[in-house]
């Protein structure tokens, strides 16, 4: 199943992809469905009817708008760690994102007025259907509802103004999330063996196999649960490969009018134009 969230005729809706169209299922947020214990592999099949619409009819939203927790992983590809001129950590580098920083497929990633260092980071995210503490690694993938694409738009000047990265990762409308939540049955276990790419204005700027993750999906779930009670609807954004604009000479930043795309084998592409923050 491939679930979407969108605005249709002024109302927020959930839908499921059926061929090249979307079947509207109602207004129940995916995070609420997950919190209530619904199995997304089957839930859409329990909803009768539903208007059929096209992508052109809707305005896409983040696939989860208010996840209980959104945990991002840094330095999870060795080549990116090297280009960042940092030592590879032996433990996952974790920082939070907040729902106010999210934006949907087709909607602008916004360059804030206070900085000209907006960078791209193509990633994939894991959405949990259940959680807990001390989840065993060999059971961790049993907790996965599905996967989605993420562009961890980073305001580098603010990311590195202090030892903690959180501020530079949480400007409003910088984290693109979508366009679909693809349920786990449609994805190789742990999303392994897939090609993750980022394109800026049609040029490939990042490309890597998900097999090269240092901490794979099962390891991340298990390790995070040692400290944090994970919950249904939590999102883990797994990290970006090398090629980020801030590591280049000259630096490559995103500016108004650019278009950034993130793709993963078998997934619909996440595409966002770049816009400047309003001066009002």
């Amino acid at each position: 199943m491939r679930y979407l969230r969108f605005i249709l005729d002024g109302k927020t809706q959930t839908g499921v992809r059926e061929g090249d169209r979307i079947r509207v299922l109602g207004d129940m947020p995916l995070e609420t469905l997950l919190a209530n214990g619904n199995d997304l592999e089957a839930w859409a099949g329990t909803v009768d009817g539903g208007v059929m619409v096209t992508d052109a009819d809707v305005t896409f939203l983040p696939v989860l708008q208010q996840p209980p927790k959104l945990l991002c992983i840094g330095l999870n590809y060795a080549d990116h760690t090297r280009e960042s001129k940092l030592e590879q950590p032996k433990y996952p580098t974790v920082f939070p994102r907040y729902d106010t920083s999210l934006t949907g497929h087709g909607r602008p990633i916004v360059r804030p007025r206070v900085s000209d260092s907006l960078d791209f980071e193509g990633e994939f995210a894991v959405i949990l259907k259940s959680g807990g503490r001390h989840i065993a690694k060999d059971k961790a993938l049993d907790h996965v509802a599905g996967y989605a694409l993420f562009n961890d738009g980073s305001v580098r000047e603010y990311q590195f103004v202090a030892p903690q990265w959180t501020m530079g990762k949480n400007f409003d409308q910088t984290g693109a999330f979508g366009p679909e939540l693809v349920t786990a049955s449609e994805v190789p276990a742990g999303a392994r063996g897939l090609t993750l790419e980022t394109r800026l204005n049609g040029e490939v700027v990042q490309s890597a196999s998900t097999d090269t993750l240092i901490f794979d999906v099962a390891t991340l779930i298990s390790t995070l649960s040692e400290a944090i009670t994970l919950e249904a609807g939590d999102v883990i954004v797994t990290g970006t490969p090398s090629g980020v604009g801030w590591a280049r000479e000259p630096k490559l930043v995103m500016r108004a009018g650019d278009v950034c795309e993130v793709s993963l084998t078998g997934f619909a592409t996440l595409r966002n134009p770049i816009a400047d923050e309003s001066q009002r």
Side-chain angles (χ1 to χ4, degrees), residues 34 46 108 207:
L34 291 166
T46 70
S207 183

Side-chain angles (χ1 to χ4, degrees), residues 26-94:
D27 61 359
M28 185 72 76
L30 292 177
E31 50 265 48
T32 302
L33 288 171
L34 291 166
N36 290 343
N38 291 281
D39 178 7
L40 296 187
E41 299 284 6
W43 182 78
T46 70
V47 180
D48 293 330
V51 174
M52 300 295 289
V53 299
T54 69
D55 287 22
D57 297 322
V58 306
T59 299
F60 287 95
L61 297 169
V63 286
L64 277 73
Q65 289 185 264
Q66 293 183 311
K69 290 184 285 297
L70 203 161
L71 302 169
C72 297
I73 309 300
L75 306 178
N76 203 18
Y77 290 82
D79 285 351
H80 176 53
T81 303
R82 284 192 291 270
E83 74 176 358
S84 302
K85 298 180 172 56
L86 296 170
E87 182 178 348
Q88 183 63 56
K90 297 179 181 179
Y91 190 88
T93 300
V94 183

Side-chain angles (χ1 to χ4, degrees), residues 3 20 29 63-65 74 77 92 116 130 144 146 160 167 204 216:
Y3 287 90
D20 61 356
V63 286
L64 277 73
Q65 289 185 264
Y77 290 82
D116 189 30
S130 57
V144 175
F160 299 121
M167 187 63 76
V204 175
D216 64 14

